[in-house]
Amino acid sequence: MSRSNIIETGLAFGEILERHVTELLIVHHVGGTDRDVSAAEIHEWHLANGWSGIGYHFVIRKNGTIERGRPENAVGSHTKGSNSRSLGINVVGDFTACEPSPAQIASLVNLCADLCEAYELAPAAIIGHRDAPDSQTECPGDNLYCLLPDIRAKVAQILNGK
């Protein structure tokens, strides 16, 4: 049962590889701006860097809307060393200085519950970018990172039918 309404963006990509395993859901923030940017805008930024396109699989806008980034079965480009075994979820905002909206958190919980169900993952598989091996980043910002234990608990409640 899907709890998430994902807006298909139809973005065009350069060469991307197929991902064969999903072990982690890695949560990110945009950082550097608290503006409500779209998956299409992030896609343009990443193309301008010479990449194949947006590195995240999902983007959660300020109003809670979830947009498709990379195809779900594609290797991401969001967390060095973990891209081939994870899905990247970008929550729009700079959470070093600002707070995620309640709508963003609700969408993140529902999306993570759907993905945990689809890929048979425990809520412990939901991590912040900074938790990935070899990551030297403060992403997803302290104001989102501190919410991850509660997000995992809410996902567990959904998965347990409570």
Side-chain angles (χ1 to χ4, degrees):
M1 174 177 108
S2 178
R3 290 163 276 281
S4 305
N5 180 24
I6 299 167
I7 306 298
E8 297 298 337
T9 54
L11 301 172
F13 289 85
E15 183 180 343
I16 51 177
L17 301 173
E18 187 175 343
R19 193 185 67 261
H20 299 286
V21 64
T22 304
E23 298 172 336
L24 297 169
L25 306 179
I26 303 179
V27 178
H28 301 263
H29 71 153
V30 168
T33 183
D34 198 48
R35 196 167 50 79
D36 185 32
V37 298
S38 66
E41 187 171 357
I42 297 170
H43 184 65
E44 292 301 319
W45 294 345
H46 290 186
L47 286 170
N49 285 341
W51 304 343
S52 296
I54 188 171
Y56 311 105
H57 297 89
F58 303 96
V59 173
I60 302 177
R61 305 283 300 269
K62 294 282 190 177
N63 67 0
T65 298
I66 303 170
E67 296 177 339
R68 172 92 54 209
R70 279 199 183 208
E72 198 168 318
N73 68 341
V75 172
S77 183
H78 56 87
T79 306
K80 185 177 180 182
S82 297
N83 289 316
S84 64
R85 62 189 192 102
S86 66
L87 289 167
I89 304 169
N90 186 295
V91 183
V92 173
D94 183 348
F95 304 123
T96 58
C98 300
E99 303 282 334
S101 74
Q104 286 178 303
I105 297 304
S107 290
L108 180 59
V109 167
N110 287 330
L111 177 62
C112 286
D114 287 344
L115 295 172
C116 282
E117 197 168 68
Y119 293 98
E120 300 178 355
L121 300 174
I126 303 164
I127 67 170
H129 182 186
R130 67 174 74 174
D131 294 323
D134 302 323
S135 288
Q136 296 179 352
T137 180
E138 292 302 311
C139 181
D142 289 346
N143 294 327
L144 176 53
Y145 186 75
C146 73
L147 300 176
L148 290 179
D150 187 51
I151 289 165
R152 286 189 282 269
K154 288 177 179 173
V155 168
Q157 288 176 338
I158 291 170
L159 296 176
N160 292 327
K162 296 181 181 177

